[in-house]
Amino acid sequence: MKRLSAALGLPILLIGLWWAMSAGSTSFFWPPLETIVRAFPETWTADPILHDVLPSLARLAVGYLTALVAGVAAGTAIGSFRTLRALCEPALEFFRAIPPPVLIPVIALFAGYTGWTAKVITIALGCVWPILLNTVEGVRSVDEVLRDTARSYRLSRRATLQHVVLRGASPRIATGARQALSIGVILMVISELFGADRGLGAAIVQFQRGFAIPQMWTGIILLGLIGVALSALFRLVEHRTLAWYRGLRQAEREV
Amino acid sequence: MSATSKLDGPARFLGLAGLSLVVGVAEALPRLDVVDRRFLPPFSSMAVALGRQLALGDFWIALGQTLRGWALGLAVAMLAGVVFGVVIGSVPFLRAVTASTIEFLRPIPSVALIPLVVLIYGSQLQSALVLVVYAAFWQVLVQVLYGVADVDPVVRDTARSYRFSRWTVVRTVVWPTALPYVVTGFRLAAAVALILEITAELIIGVPGLGRSIGVAQSSGAVAETYALVIVVGIIGVLVNASARAVERRALRWHTSIRRDL
Amino acid sequence: MDPSVSLDVAGLAKTYTGHGRSVEAVRDLTFRIGRGELVCIVGPSGAGKTTLLRCIAGLLPTSGGTITLDGAPVTAPPAGMAVVFQEYGRSLFPWLTVRKNVELPLRRTPRAQRTLNVDAALAAVGLTESADAHPWQLSGGMQQRVAIARAIAYEPSVLLMDEPFAAVDAQTRADLEDLVRALWHRLGITVLFVTHDIDESVYLGQRVLVLSNRPTVVLEDVRIDLPDERDQLQTRSSKEFADLRGRVYELVQLAKRGHRPGD
Amino acid sequence: MDPSVSLDVAGLAKTYTGHGRSVEAVRDLTFRIGRGELVCIVGPSGAGKTTLLRCIAGLLPTSGGTITLDGAPVTAPPAGMAVVFQEYGRSLFPWLTVRKNVELPLRRTPRAQRTLNVDAALAAVGLTESADAHPWQLSGGMQQRVAIARAIAYEPSVLLMDEPFAAVDAQTRADLEDLVRALWHRLGITVLFVTHDIDESVYLGQRVLVLSNRPTVVLEDVRIDLPDERDQLQTRSSKEFADLRGRVYELVQLAKRGHRPGD
Amino acid sequence: TDTTSSAGTTKLKIGVIPIVDVAPIYLGIKQGFFSAEGLDVTLETAQGGAAIVPGVVSGQYQFGFSNTTSLLLASSQGLPLKAVAAGVASTGVEGKDFGAVIVKADSPIKTAKDLAGKRVAVNTLKNINTTTINNVVQKAGGDPSTITYVELAFPDIGAAIAKGDVDAGQVVEPFLTIGTGQGNRQVVSNYAGTDADLTVGMYFTSQQYASQNPKVVAGFTAAMKKSMEYAAAHPDDVRAILSTYTKIDPTVQQNLTLPKWPTAVDRDAVQLLGDLAKKDGLITKPLTLDTLLP
Ligand SMILES: Nc1ncnc2c1ncn2[C@@H]1O[C@H](COP(=O)(O)OP(=O)(O)OP(=O)(O)O)[C@@H](O)[C@H]1O
Ligand SMILES: Nc1ncnc2c1ncn2[C@@H]1O[C@H](COP(=O)(O)OP(=O)(O)OP(=O)(O)O)[C@@H](O)[C@H]1O
Ligand SMILES: [Mg+2]
Ligand SMILES: [Mg+2]
């Protein structure tokens, strides 16, 4: 109950503020919140949810999970071997700095322009960086005594990886994974600016270009709600897998 | 120490080797007709186009504009991200209250905000700045929030038992603990800021490299486009190298660094 | 209220809950310590000594009972108190050098005085040479001594020490014991000293509180009526010492076997 | 090569460098340990005992000299060796329960046998009840006992222990001492035991190696010719014990004062 | 109020897209047509109307360039815009226009009718290019509702056609010349095929600005008219000025098809585009051209 009110308190306050401040707005691009709320059910009916939102979410899920697996795998390798890190890092940083709008056409050259592949790769490529970087740092900062313990008991490579390295790095992997989640949502939109005819992102951009501003706002709000929902889901998983970490850090006092 | 310098040479060499590999692949793929060279020219043509660019005054002006916008936005985002992160992270009540709002705001893509910033600022520097700050801020904030939560309880108790003031705790306990996360946040934010700066220039037409890319794109000048993109990538590499250098100094004490020696 | 009482622990209870476990660590612990007293605490491993100390230090919320320090209830870490933690290694700031670690709590002391204090404390624990090292460059015993140096440089009025000499060699241990007694004499501070070394508890303390097994109560409060002037060789070889030592040993064995007061 | 020699340390040297400091921890350390021997090591805090153990365990590259275990030079952690680290708290996996921590090295043992081993080890250190707790829910002494349980459940052929009883109470300590001796008898393993407790070193060992101050060499190799059957009360109260104890104490004091062999 | 500086000139910011279409305004500035009207013009480039329209509405730009359908859409949604000058128009010559649908040389698509049922790339969905393609396909006897449109940027359309991801694509200059140079074939000129005088783009301002600054608007319109006339009369100057604001390859620059630059907005063509947009469901409210057109 307390947690619920804490979670809802500020949003309700902000929404109230937005409602009040936009009430009499005549600005075309800042319509009253009331107008937006009215437009919401008309805009997101069964058809767009089925043909825009769900496929987008499916692509997001595939891209995100790909990034998670690839980021953790590559991050563990790069974090464990200094030579590999020295070899890869500049090249990775190079690609990391390239904006998706110019990178996507290159991806499309290989992965095709219209199918899911290019979009999924775009999402995965965006999500992978926070996961990769955090995994690398997490792997590097696993306690030395723990590593020595694993070595002295001659745990196999796999066991060390599974029970020591990945678990030790898991708090940081979670940091990266959480960060990647919202980036994934963003890239879900960006990827649909390209070679898409349907999708949540494509819909928002078409509203924007068609000057259907209240509808565009409903799309943005929908994105935010998806973000909240995904983050709640994430928290659930994190809560279970990182219970030891919260105990260790005596974080149970926190909500 | 000697160990560091012993490593630095090979590390740099290896890094260059890695980049050369990328260059090699970029040269080979079009030449071997794996991709159509009309759409992805071999690296050598990009390099030639880049050479032509470097001779132009306009290029350097655009580069300067991009770097200025990027650095400014990044600085603001870092400052705001660290301050908000430390404050929100240190006060459990604030953390609980803001969590849902943060999660709502984070996934809103900066590109969706473009019409709004244009409405307010047009294609001025500020438009890009708003987008850069908005996108980069979250990168730092999330890292700092997790970093602040990483404080060792024994360390925290030590600080409490000696009755350190709030400010001292932040300075001597929270900040050093969160620092590795801040560095990661910086590395993430630096790239995101660069991406948004370029994207804003590209789409809104804020002066800078991105606008040059946009012009090259809409002129069908493929090699020029990639030449400019390479410049962007190189900025990314340099930023990371400097972040690593800072990290080696500031985090000498950290497990990840001291083990490396 | 008795002004000579420094610390009054009445009916203290502490139950750890969370993460699927609920452990009643301390149940109904009551004792008093006079101002300027040096009291040792012994008890079986896992009895709740650390828990008790952390409650007194105001670092852990209690589940019941009251703790009063100099007449005021303890709810947050009180002023003028120094704690040497059992987890000495984790209590040092890895990002600071040894000197900076010791110096940190002295932020309000004038610089000259501070340097003096720190140098003296480091010399007392034999770490002058390692002042510029980082804690993780030190051996376990050296780390522990850094934590001790930090506490004594602070010149507290109440000093809580949780097995502070566990990691140092016999000779250093003897030196540090004398150091604590000297400090206690010089500053007239109240000292609460947790140890597993029964000889040490008898040698150091004016009283030895023997704790029972978990859930913890005070099994017995042994008064150490040795002369105030103590000496590592003479005191330890005296008959009274041997008797007291035997008595405390017996109690600890009882405690370990689950004996409780009134049994 | 002498087949009865298990561990041969010859001219071992270790200098820590890096971070603007260069510390010569160990200089020219030479000794041999027979197969199935129980040898204790004492020495001043910061002498290099932990360093030595970590070198023997193959965890730390040496700067000079050779370490040979059962005829093979040690370059990586050898098979069948268990180490109890001085930093016991940090050596436990915080994400695993006590049981899982003890079980982890036994991954190749069949499940039934494994459960048996783990249960026996936990019972031996008195932690049966806490098997499902996480390490950070335990007291310091309990954590240390988990580390010990892990080592004995592993049934190693060489056991290295770095101040393994520093955080437990006197009674538990005595029990654990007997446990180590019983284990040593039963499995015929080679044990290297670092301690600061001089009584303990004499009580436990067949030999006590006294190390000098840093840079470390062997100050003296004291043979403990007490009968093999030892008893906490009888052995400790014997005349021979007192003599040996006095001898080792004297050596440690010498070492602390910077005395070196040949002085 | 006119924002007039001390020298009696008015500073104007104009949002344009850096493409061939806006060559006249660059020429006009160079020729001094704007300064003659007391206008000190700065051109700000952006990628498309999505960035320019809000800029004009909020007053960040005083004038902007956008395609006609976008302006109609905005106007129908209630955005207070006012067209002030013609921007660019079709040449009206089938096969020799500045925009067309192209396919691979060996594609089975020969006529507009064949586009039915195919995948066609356009740079923006639900805009001028889709409505005009639908129009020409229907005129040719095909069913436009069976076309699947895919949104791709102009530079990527050629690559997507080459890869076979789309069957056809609508491109404008310089991509038309580049594309045909790479062996692609024009199927239909969707602008010319819709209307010989199709006004593809226009310059516009906000109604508020127009009503408050009639003199500036008149001056701008006059200068634009001169610019258009000049551009229409001096194609070589046009080709030359392109290299100042684009990176178009010199040979492409020489060969590309220049659009027509009319001096006035063709009201019928705008009406036609509006009707097409309405037919495709882009506009749902009744058309009121009078608010948009001068
Ligand atoms: N964070 C915690 N969560 C749950 N239980 C805890 C926690 N800390 C301690 N305990 C439990 O409380 C009891 C007392 O622990 P405490 O650390 O006070 O013992 P101690 O007397 O200091 O023991 P030792 O001499 O071994 O250090 C133990 O049984 C322990 O398992
Ligand atoms: N990582 C390190 N970097 C630099 N110096 C180190 C490091 N570890 C240990 N030393 C130094 O090496 C010396 C020996 O350390 P070691 O830990 O082996 O001592 P020890 O005999 O185990 O002491 P103690 O009984 O206090 O645990 C010490 O002077 C210490 O400062
Ligand atoms: Mg304790
Ligand atoms: Mg040690």
Side-chain angles (χ1 to χ4, degrees):
Chain A
M1 194 55 227
K2 226 174 112 191
R3 266 175 65 175
L4 201 70
S5 63
L8 292 181
L10 186 62
I12 288 176
L13 193 80
L14 289 177
I15 291 170
L17 212 63
W18 183 5
W19 191 285
M21 297 217 336
S22 67
S25 168
T26 51
S27 161
F28 187 80
F29 289 92
W30 306 99
L33 182 54
E34 197 187 333
T35 316
I36 300 171
V37 172
R38 287 251 173 75
F40 201 101
E42 298 159 19
T43 313
W44 301 106
T45 52
D47 175 70
I49 287 182
L50 210 63
H51 293 104
D52 290 322
V53 181
L54 290 184
S56 290
L57 287 179
R59 282 193 291 264
L60 172 64
V62 177
Y64 180 77
L65 293 177
T66 312
L68 195 63
V69 172
V72 171
T76 311
I78 293 173
S80 305
F81 303 105
R82 210 167 14 161
T83 322
L84 191 65
R85 187 159 67 248
L87 184 72
C88 293
E89 211 168 77
L92 289 176
E93 293 303 320
F94 180 87
F95 285 113
R96 202 157 69 81
I98 296 176
V102 277
L103 195 59
I104 298 174
V106 184
I107 298 171
L109 269 181
F110 296 92
Y113 283 79
T114 51
W116 274 35
T117 327
K119 295 180 188 61
V120 168
I121 291 179
T122 305
I123 295 172
L125 262 178
C127 291
V128 83
W129 301 120
I131 300 175
L132 182 81
L133 259 59
N134 275 291
T135 307
V136 169
E137 300 310 317
V139 166
R140 289 176 65 201
S141 31
V142 171
D143 193 290
E144 295 147 292
V145 181
L146 283 185
R147 276 179 187 279
D148 281 351
T149 305
R151 282 179 65 202
S152 70
Y153 284 110
R154 290 164 61 95
L155 289 191
S156 65
R157 242 170 213 283
R158 231 197 87 197
T160 308
L161 191 69
Q162 181 185 344
H163 293 287
V164 184
V165 176
L166 285 181
R167 291 304 288 272
S170 58
R172 288 213 66 166
I173 296 178
T175 315
R178 158 156 296 198
Q179 204 155 7
L181 205 55
S182 53
I183 293 184
V185 177
I186 292 172
L187 281 165
M188 174 183 92
V189 173
I190 292 184
S191 70
E192 287 172 9
L193 302 184
F194 189 91
D197 53 348
R198 298 213 67 166
L200 177 53
I204 292 177
V205 174
Q206 276 166 30
F207 288 139
Q208 183 185 325
R209 280 214 217 96
F211 304 98
I213 300 303
Q215 284 77 4
M216 177 191 89
W217 276 107
T218 63
I220 292 178
I221 290 175
L222 188 61
L223 280 180
L225 292 178
I226 289 174
V228 173
L230 289 178
S231 141
L233 199 70
F234 185 89
R235 247 177 119 91
L236 215 67
V237 178
E238 189 190 26
H239 210 78
R240 305 202 54 170
T241 48
L242 289 186
W244 64 269
Y245 180 71
R246 277 174 298 120
L248 183 72
R249 289 287 176 245
Q250 290 182 358
E252 59 262 71
R253 276 174 263 152
E254 290 174 29
V255 186
Chain B
M1 268 286 314
S2 58
T4 340
S5 42
K6 227 189 298 167
L7 192 95
D8 262 10
R12 224 166 274 149
F13 173 77
L14 277 171
L16 286 179
L19 281 177
S20 323
L21 199 71
V22 173
V23 168
V25 170
E27 180 73 30
L29 286 181
R31 290 212 180 275
L32 300 175
D33 278 335
V34 180
V35 289
D36 195 326
R37 58 190 300 173
R38 287 175 308 189
F39 307 119
L40 185 67
F43 182 81
S44 45
S45 346
M46 300 183 199
V48 170
L50 182 57
R52 274 202 302 275
Q53 291 286 334
L54 297 184
L56 298 176
D58 280 357
F59 166 81
W60 294 104
I61 294 172
L63 180 63
Q65 285 162 333
T66 297
L67 288 179
R68 190 184 55 184
W70 165 78
L72 196 63
L74 183 59
V76 174
M78 281 297 291
L79 195 71
V82 168
V83 169
F84 278 95
V86 168
V87 170
I88 294 175
S90 313
V91 185
F93 172 73
L94 281 184
R95 193 161 186 177
V97 163
T98 53
S100 54
T101 310
I102 289 176
E103 295 309 328
F104 180 85
L105 293 175
R106 273 173 53 207
I108 293 176
S110 300
V111 282
L113 300 178
I114 284 178
L116 304 177
V117 300
V118 173
L119 200 59
I120 305 172
Y121 298 114
S123 55
Q124 300 170 34
L125 182 66
Q126 287 94 317
S127 288
L129 197 63
V130 169
L131 297 177
V132 168
V133 170
Y134 185 84
F137 170 73
W138 302 115
Q139 308 284 320
V140 188
L141 182 75
V142 173
Q143 289 286 334
V144 176
L145 282 179
Y146 274 81
V148 170
D150 198 31
V151 171
D152 189 310
V154 181
V155 168
R156 193 193 318 141
D157 282 351
T158 306
R160 284 179 64 204
S161 72
Y162 286 112
R163 290 164 62 90
F164 287 5
S165 65
R166 236 171 215 290
W167 169 238
T168 310
V169 171
V170 166
R171 221 169 43 86
T172 61
V173 176
V174 174
W175 175 247
T177 307
L179 199 54
Y181 290 80
V182 173
V183 173
T184 308
F186 170 79
R187 291 176 60 205
L188 287 167
V192 166
L194 189 58
I195 287 173
L196 259 294
E197 175 71 29
I198 297 286
T199 309
E201 291 168 359
L202 188 72
I203 295 177
I204 315 179
V206 177
L209 273 186
R211 191 168 73 178
S212 311
I213 292 177
V215 170
Q217 266 184 345
S218 57
S219 305
V222 179
E224 269 82 4
T225 307
Y226 286 116
L228 292 169
V229 171
I230 288 174
V231 175
V232 177
I234 290 173
I235 299 176
V237 175
L238 296 179
V239 169
N240 181 63
S242 44
R244 281 291 191 215
V246 169
E247 183 186 72
R248 265 202 303 279
R249 298 194 148 269
L251 292 179
R252 267 166 18 107
W253 54 270
H254 194 256
T255 321
S256 60
I257 309 290
R258 69 191 196 220
R259 217 155 42 86
D260 264 3
L261 291 181
Chain C
M1 204 209 74
D2 187 348
S4 74
V5 173
S6 171
L7 179 72
D8 187 347
V9 177
L12 179 69
K14 173 70 195 179
T15 304
Y16 289 99
T17 52
H19 299 282
R21 268 168 61 94
S22 163
V23 179
E24 188 182 8
V26 176
R27 172 196 293 177
D28 196 20
L29 207 55
T30 304
F31 62 89
R32 288 180 167 194
I33 293 179
R35 193 182 305 283
E37 251 190 318
L38 200 173
V39 176
C40 291
I41 298 182
V42 299
S45 169
K49 303 178 292 299
T50 301
T51 306
L52 169 64
L53 240 59
R54 288 165 57 87
C55 288
I56 295 175
L59 295 170
L60 200 64
T62 63
S63 323
T66 55
I67 299 171
T68 319
L69 187 79
D70 293 328
V74 173
T75 50
M81 175 183 277
V83 185
V84 177
F85 290 90
Q86 185 175 13
E87 293 138 309
Y88 53 88
R90 281 171 65 192
S91 82
L92 300 178
F93 298 172
W95 43 86
L96 299 180
T97 61
V98 166
R99 164 175 294 283
K100 292 256 171 64
N101 260 290
V102 176
E103 213 172 57
L104 196 57
L106 304 180
R107 300 167 41 75
R108 292 197 198 85
T109 319
R111 178 176 295 276
Q113 177 66 33
R114 201 195 309 169
T115 314
L116 232 62
N117 271 15
V118 173
D119 285 342
L122 286 177
V125 299
L127 285 178
T128 308
E129 275 177 29
S130 305
D132 295 324
H134 283 267
W136 36 271
Q137 295 178 303
L138 303 183
S139 79
M142 291 160 91
Q143 290 177 16
Q144 194 163 37
R145 284 182 277 152
V146 177
I148 297 168
R150 183 165 62 186
I152 61 179
Y154 188 58
E155 301 198 333
S157 59
V158 179
L159 178 58
L160 308 182
M161 302 181 100
D162 198 351
E163 301 181 31
F165 308 149
V168 299
D169 61 280
Q171 181 56 44
T172 310
R173 187 167 198 140
D175 295 348
L176 290 175
E177 282 164 8
D178 291 336
L179 177 70
V180 166
R181 280 197 62 95
L183 196 77
W184 168 64
H185 269 133
R186 181 159 65 82
L187 300 177
I189 60 184
T190 310
V191 181
L192 208 61
F193 191 103
V194 172
T195 179
H196 281 314
D197 188 328
I198 289 164
D199 292 46
E200 182 168 87
S201 71
V202 174
Y203 178 76
L204 274 184
Q206 296 178 299
R207 283 158 61 200
V208 175
L209 290 180
V210 184
L211 299 189
S212 80
N213 229 339
R214 202 163 55 75
T216 308
V217 296
V218 175
L219 194 64
E220 197 157 318
D221 185 345
V222 183
R223 180 147 297 279
I224 306 296
D225 35 17
L226 295 171
D228 190 39
E229 201 54 57
R230 298 187 190 177
D231 177 272
Q232 290 286 355
L233 283 180
Q234 273 169 14
T235 307
R236 283 186 193 256
S237 54
S238 70
K239 168 82 176 60
E240 295 87 339
F241 187 89
D243 289 348
L244 284 165
R245 188 183 169 287
R247 172 93 191 99
V248 174
Y249 192 83
E250 206 175 299
L251 284 166
V252 170
Q253 270 183 309
L254 277 176
K256 181 79 198 299
R257 271 189 242 120
H259 187 90
R260 304 184 70 81
D263 279 9
Chain D
M1 202 209 74
D2 187 347
S4 73
V5 172
S6 170
L7 179 71
D8 188 346
V9 176
L12 178 69
K14 173 70 195 178
T15 304
Y16 288 99
T17 52
H19 299 281
R21 266 168 62 94
S22 164
V23 178
E24 188 182 9
V26 175
R27 172 194 295 176
D28 196 19
L29 207 56
T30 304
F31 63 90
R32 287 179 166 196
I33 293 180
R35 193 181 306 283
E37 248 188 322
L38 200 173
V39 175
C40 291
I41 297 182
V42 298
S45 170
K49 302 179 293 299
T50 301
T51 306
L52 168 64
L53 240 58
R54 290 166 59 87
C55 288
I56 295 175
L59 295 170
L60 200 64
T62 62
S63 325
T66 55
I67 300 173
T68 319
L69 186 79
D70 292 328
V74 173
T75 49
M81 174 182 278
V83 185
V84 177
F85 290 91
Q86 185 175 16
E87 294 136 310
Y88 53 90
R90 282 171 63 193
S91 82
L92 301 178
F93 298 96
W95 44 86
L96 299 180
T97 61
V98 166
R99 165 174 295 282
K100 292 256 171 61
N101 260 288
V102 176
E103 215 172 55
L104 191 60
L106 304 180
R107 299 168 46 77
R108 291 194 200 88
T109 320
R111 178 176 295 275
Q113 177 66 33
R114 202 195 310 168
T115 313
L116 232 61
N117 271 16
V118 172
D119 285 341
L122 285 178
V125 299
L127 284 179
T128 308
E129 276 178 30
S130 305
D132 295 323
H134 283 267
W136 35 269
Q137 294 178 303
L138 303 182
S139 77
M142 292 161 90
Q143 289 178 16
Q144 195 163 36
R145 284 182 278 150
V146 178
I148 295 167
R150 182 165 61 188
I152 62 180
Y154 189 58
E155 301 197 335
S157 58
V158 181
L159 178 59
L160 309 182
M161 303 181 100
D162 198 353
E163 302 182 31
F165 308 148
V168 299
D169 60 279
Q171 181 56 43
T172 309
R173 187 168 198 141
D175 296 347
L176 291 174
E177 281 164 10
D178 291 336
L179 177 70
V180 166
R181 279 198 62 97
L183 196 78
W184 169 64
H185 269 133
R186 180 160 65 83
L187 301 177
I189 59 183
T190 310
V191 180
L192 208 62
F193 192 101
V194 171
T195 179
H196 280 315
D197 187 327
I198 289 163
D199 292 47
E200 183 170 83
S201 72
V202 175
Y203 178 76
L204 273 184
Q206 297 178 296
R207 282 158 62 199
V208 174
L209 290 179
V210 183
L211 299 190
S212 79
N213 229 341
R214 203 162 53 75
T216 306
V217 297
V218 176
L219 193 64
E220 196 157 318
D221 185 345
V222 182
R223 180 148 296 277
I224 306 296
D225 35 18
L226 295 172
D228 190 38
E229 203 53 56
R230 298 190 189 175
D231 177 90
Q232 290 286 354
L233 283 180
Q234 273 170 14
T235 308
R236 283 187 194 254
S237 53
S238 72
K239 168 81 176 60
E240 295 88 340
F241 187 88
D243 289 349
L244 284 165
R245 187 184 171 285
R247 172 92 191 100
V248 174
Y249 191 83
E250 205 177 299
L251 284 166
V252 170
Q253 269 184 311
L254 277 177
K256 180 79 198 298
R257 271 190 242 116
H259 187 89
R260 306 182 71 79
D263 280 7
Chain E
T1 51
D2 287 1
T3 45
T4 312
S5 76
S6 54
T9 58
T10 306
K11 283 195 180 304
L12 291 181
K13 272 198 205 164
I14 301 176
V16 296
I17 312 169
I19 48 176
V20 180
D21 304 24
V22 297
I25 196 167
Y26 280 90
L27 272 179
I29 292 168
K30 192 172 163 223
Q31 295 298 323
F33 299 148
F34 288 91
S35 44
E37 300 286 341
L39 304 175
D40 176 10
V41 171
T42 317
L43 298 179
E44 305 262 354
T45 58
Q47 212 181 31
I52 296 177
V53 173
V56 170
V57 169
S58 68
Q60 291 294 336
Y61 310 135
Q62 284 69 47
F63 297 92
F65 175 87
S66 179
N67 82 59
T68 311
T69 304
S70 281
L71 292 178
L72 285 165
L73 289 178
S75 182
S76 78
Q77 291 284 358
L79 259 184
L81 301 181
K82 197 86 193 165
V84 294
V88 67
S90 162
T91 59
V93 184
E94 177 73 44
K96 272 230 160 299
D97 200 1
F98 75 103
V101 177
I102 57 170
V103 295
K104 265 196 223 172
D106 57 356
S107 166
I109 301 171
K110 307 280 185 209
T111 67
K113 185 169 184 270
D114 300 335
L115 287 172
K118 296 293 191 301
R119 303 167 64 78
V120 180
V122 289
N123 80 323
T124 40
L125 295 175
K126 297 190 181 167
N127 210 301
I128 187 163
N129 294 327
T130 57
T131 59
T132 51
I133 292 172
N134 284 344
N135 180 255
V136 294
V137 170
Q138 181 158 47
K139 276 197 215 163
D143 178 4
S145 67
T146 57
I147 300 176
T148 310
Y149 286 108
V150 175
E151 179 166 320
L152 286 174
F154 285 130
D156 301 318
I157 289 177
I161 293 175
K163 205 168 159 47
D165 283 349
V166 292
D167 304 305
Q170 196 279 341
V171 291
V172 296
E173 291 292 7
F175 297 100
L176 187 53
T177 302
I178 295 174
T180 46
Q182 288 170 348
N184 292 318
R185 171 164 57 78
Q186 288 193 43
V187 176
V188 59
S189 302
N190 53 316
Y191 301 148
T194 299
D195 186 291
D197 294 314
L198 194 72
T199 306
V200 176
M202 299 192 285
Y203 292 88
F204 64 98
T205 182
S206 71
Q207 279 176 5
Q208 192 194 9
Y209 189 83
S211 60
Q212 284 173 357
N213 305 279
K215 266 173 31 208
V216 179
V217 172
F220 180 81
T221 308
M224 267 325 295
K225 186 161 181 278
K226 277 191 237 164
S227 307
M228 297 297 239
E229 281 163 351
Y230 185 88
H234 301 87
D236 289 339
D237 284 11
V238 171
R239 291 184 201 278
I241 197 125
L242 285 180
S243 48
T244 64
Y245 71 95
T246 72
K247 301 261 183 211
I248 298 173
D249 185 80
T251 52
V252 175
Q253 222 172 78
Q254 286 315 308
N255 294 330
L256 52 76
T257 307
L258 294 178
K260 207 160 79 186
W261 280 300
T263 49
V265 176
D266 179 353
R267 201 181 168 93
D268 294 341
V270 176
Q271 179 72 49
L272 176 59
L273 280 174
D275 292 339
L276 291 179
K278 225 170 144 183
K279 189 164 140 220
D280 286 356
L282 277 53
I283 296 175
T284 45
K285 294 172 194 139
L287 266 178
T288 46
L289 282 193
D290 289 329
T291 51
L292 177 64
L293 294 188

